[in-house]
Structures are given as structure tokens and as C-alpha cells.
Amino acid sequence: MILEVAVIFLAVLWVVTIAMFMGHTKRQRTLATQQVEADSLRDQRIRELARRLENYQGGTIRMGEELHELRATVAPLPDKITILEQRDPSTLSFAQAARLVTMGASVDELTQSCGLTQAEAQLMTKMHGNG
């Protein structure tokens, strides 16, 4: 009788162990599936962030190149301003040339009296007067 009870107890214990093992295996598969999904979402997010980073880097590079070009354009301006400030004060300014144009001065008169180039004098006459 003790042997029969021991065999029944071991059989029940074996069935309970198998059931627990099956439950544990099912939970492990569920966790593995969830982990794969989470990994997939993480990888997708990493690819999106990498793409955005590349866009920012490209924009920064373009901005740097444009800034370099702008610097090259602006660099000679202080020298040009100095040259303009050191011009002979006896020459008339563009504002004075504009007043002469409104008074009827010709292109030749502007070039002679104001020291303007032919193109500057023509521009002044087109902008301020006799056309």
C-alpha cells in the first residue's frame, strides 16, 4: 500500500512538474516574442534617429560652406570702407551727384565734376532724373 501511494504521489508530482515546465516554456516564448518586437521597434527608432542626424549634419555642413563663402565676400569690405573714407574730400559724393542730376546735369558733367565712372554716371541719371 505504501508503494502504491508513493507511485501515485510521484505520478502527481511528475504531472505537476510537467505542467509547471509547460507554463514556464509558454511564458519564455511570450517573453521572447515581446523582446523581438521591442528590438524591432528600437532598431526602427535608431534608423530614424540616424537619418535625422544625417540630415542635421548635412545642413550644418551646407551652413558652414555658406558661412565660409560669406566670410570671403565680407572680408574685403573693411579695406573698401577705409578707401572710401580716405577719398579726396574735394570729390562730390553720390548724394551730391544725385542733386546735380535732378538739376539737369548730364552724364559727362557727372563724370567730370564728381569723379564718377561712365557707368556710375549713367546709373545716377537713370535713378534720379533725366533718364
Side-chain angles (χ1 to χ4, degrees), residues 87-104:
R87 255 187 164 173
D88 183 12
S90 64
T91 60
L92 298 175
S93 68
F94 284 108
Q96 291 169 319
R99 274 186 254 136
L100 289 175
V101 169
T102 57
M103 293 171 31

Side-chain angles (χ1 to χ4, degrees), residues 98-115:
R99 274 186 254 136
L100 289 175
V101 169
T102 57
M103 293 171 31
S106 69
V107 172
D108 290 332
E109 291 170 336
L110 290 176
T111 57
Q112 290 174 0
S113 62
C114 298

